Amino acid sequence: MIFTTFALANPNINKNPQGHFGAFLEDLPMEKILIIGAAGQLGSELTRSLAYQFGGEQVIATDLRDSARFEFDYCRFEVLDAMNKEALHDLVKEENVTQIYHLAAVLSATGERNPKFAWHLNMESLLFVLELAKELKLDKIYWPSSIAVFGPNTPKINTPQYCVKEPNTVYGISKQAGERWCEYYFQKYNVDVRSLRYPGLIGYKSLPGGGTTDYAVDIYHKALAGEKFTCFLRADSYLPMMYMPDAIKATLDLMNATRESVKIRSSYNLSGMSFSPKEIFESIKKHIPGFEIEFKPDFRQAIADSWPNSIDDSCASKDWGWKPDYDLDAMTVDILKNLPSYFKF
Ligand code: AKB
């Protein structure tokens, strides 16, 4: 068996970016990791953690935008359109890729503006990846699902792993169908595909793009810029949320879990914290007393209203030991401390 030690030698990735390390380097077999949509909100942080874990030489970050290249000085970068089946096939084959993290997707709010495109991109690109995994017998696939799989008829409090799901956004419909495809490819073709239903993700290292939960990122930028924040959701709109270091930890823990311990092959419920716009505002105000907010709900309110308030993630805890580290106030302290070194205010 070949082992990787590059991460220890690479000065660009000599510290753990998330304060978390899913496995010891010495114990890791040589893997080649491809990330599709690496420059997105989740990808830009997850790619760095994967490079730390496996070594920068073992990681190929890809994105549609060539301008994202400069972000990936610690690993290889290639321009790749997730819809270009041939280019994806060639890259995976030529580079002997063993694992794919397929993160490219159109999110909830953007999806409602162009439903057919959202469906096309979200579904077709997943099917390309699953087919490729089957054909080339790849080791593992990661594909993110979302709380958007739930709908207005889902129980709202402590939403269980198994319950009614009638999503009414195209994003949610595509994630629900994607979950069924993942389980199908696992059962029929033995593809080791793993997935998490992320709540709203909140990070400070990059800007989010087109989600309903994105107000909870934007609010920190406005607070630090000394500006009044206009919230597109109601003050009492509770949603499940998660701080990015927890999301990275959950993803690595799931991907490093033994095959046998991963019992759910659609997607795992995952919970970090739940809060309303009023509560995040109050959490920030403890540090920036002059901060002001106004509420002007728009079309995204209907999307938020169709999603759960809180999530039961006991299956993830039982199967592979999931436990979040951050609550709202701990996240606020961390973001207010670190965000100014990433963005100028
Ligand atoms: C969105 O708001 O669309 C995403 C999600 C909850 O999946 N952040």
Side-chain angles (χ1 to χ4, degrees):
M1 196 180 280
I2 311 163
F3 297 111
T4 175
T5 53
F6 176 80
L8 287 177
N10 186 342
N12 288 326
I13 47 173
N14 62 359
K15 66 177 183 353
N16 183 345
Q18 299 297 338
H20 175 74
F21 196 13
F24 293 106
L25 280 173
E26 306 82 59
D27 298 338
L28 293 170
M30 189 70 98
E31 297 278 359
K32 195 75 174 271
I33 317 288
L34 181 83
I35 299 113
I36 303 172
Q41 190 201 12
L42 174 64
S44 49
E45 300 204 34
L46 185 58
T47 303
R48 191 172 277 280
S49 294
L50 289 166
Y52 182 77
Q53 181 175 332
F54 291 98
E57 280 173 348
Q58 303 309 116
V59 171
I60 308 172
T62 73
D63 203 89
L64 193 56
R65 293 178 297 116
D66 190 35
S67 57
R69 183 181 296 279
F70 77 96
E71 291 173 38
F72 300 97
D73 59 346
Y74 56 85
C75 67
R76 192 168 142 195
F77 178 83
E78 296 290 335
V79 173
L80 180 77
D81 178 351
M83 296 303 288
N84 190 336
K85 195 176 168 182
E86 285 73 34
L88 176 64
H89 183 279
D90 292 350
L91 187 60
V92 169
K93 211 161 174 195
E94 277 159 23
E95 295 299 327
N96 295 315
V97 167
T98 58
Q99 298 188 17
I100 299 179
Y101 287 69
H102 175 29
L103 310 180
V106 177
L107 297 186
S108 58
T110 313
E112 292 311 290
R113 294 201 171 99
N114 195 344
K116 283 200 178 137
F117 174 70
W119 172 257
H120 183 58
L121 176 84
N122 292 1
M123 289 321 305
E124 289 296 306
S125 62
L126 172 62
L127 287 169
F128 291 163
V129 169
L130 290 172
E131 263 305 296
L132 207 53
K134 172 186 154 200
E135 183 194 326
L136 300 179
K137 301 202 180 343
L138 303 186
D139 277 2
K140 283 179 207 166
I141 301 298
Y142 181 76
W143 175 79
S145 186
S146 160
I147 53 163
V149 294
F150 300 115
N153 299 322
T154 297
K156 273 201 170 311
I157 314 288
N158 270 333
T159 301
Q161 176 70 39
Y162 301 104
C163 58
V164 174
K165 289 181 208 65
E166 291 172 343
N168 58 10
T169 61
V170 70
Y171 174 63
I173 297 169
S174 71
K175 288 295 179 189
Q176 187 192 36
E179 287 190 8
R180 304 319 312 146
W181 277 117
C182 288
E183 189 164 311
Y184 186 88
Y185 269 75
F186 173 73
Q187 284 174 354
K188 302 272 174 189
Y189 308 120
N190 211 19
V191 171
D192 187 350
V193 51
R194 305 175 182 204
S195 174
L196 296 168
R197 288 176 185 150
Y198 291 122
L201 298 184
I202 305 163
Y204 60 83
K205 294 184 183 168
S206 61
L207 292 169
T212 304
T213 57
D214 291 355
Y215 86 86
V217 177
D218 202 22
I219 192 168
Y220 289 103
H221 288 255
K222 292 290 184 305
L224 283 164
E227 289 172 30
K228 184 172 181 175
F229 180 61
T230 303
C231 184
F232 58 72
L233 295 184
R234 275 193 324 266
D236 63 351
S237 212
Y238 258 85
L239 283 172
M241 300 279 189
M242 179 170 281
Y243 192 30
M244 193 60 85
D246 273 338
I248 303 298
K249 181 175 85 157
T251 310
L252 296 181
D253 283 354
L254 174 66
M255 290 303 276
N256 289 327
T258 60
R259 192 182 165 102
E260 303 69 49
S261 58
V262 182
K263 307 256 190 290
I264 294 173
R265 295 300 181 152
S266 51
S267 190
Y268 275 95
N269 271 12
L270 189 71
S271 174
M273 57 185 104
S274 284
F275 57 77
S276 64
K278 182 169 179 285
E279 286 174 349
I280 190 172
F281 169 67
E282 281 163 359
S283 177
I284 296 171
K285 237 175 123 67
K286 286 179 196 163
H287 306 273
I288 306 177
F291 186 39
E292 287 182 88
I293 191 166
E294 63 178 342
F295 298 95
K296 285 197 178 160
D298 66 14
F299 75 100
R300 289 167 280 196
Q301 185 63 57
I303 301 177
D305 287 344
S306 76
W307 289 351
N309 294 163
S310 57
I311 300 288
D312 172 2
D313 61 0
S314 49
C315 293
S317 311
K318 185 162 67 65
D319 292 355
W320 42 274
W322 165 243
K323 191 172 161 299
D325 291 328
Y326 286 88
D327 63 12
L328 174 57
D329 283 337
M331 174 176 79
T332 295
V333 167
D334 204 55
I335 294 181
L336 293 179
K337 187 174 86 193
N338 290 301
L339 182 54
S341 55
Y342 278 82
F343 290 89
K344 287 225 176 327
F345 294 103

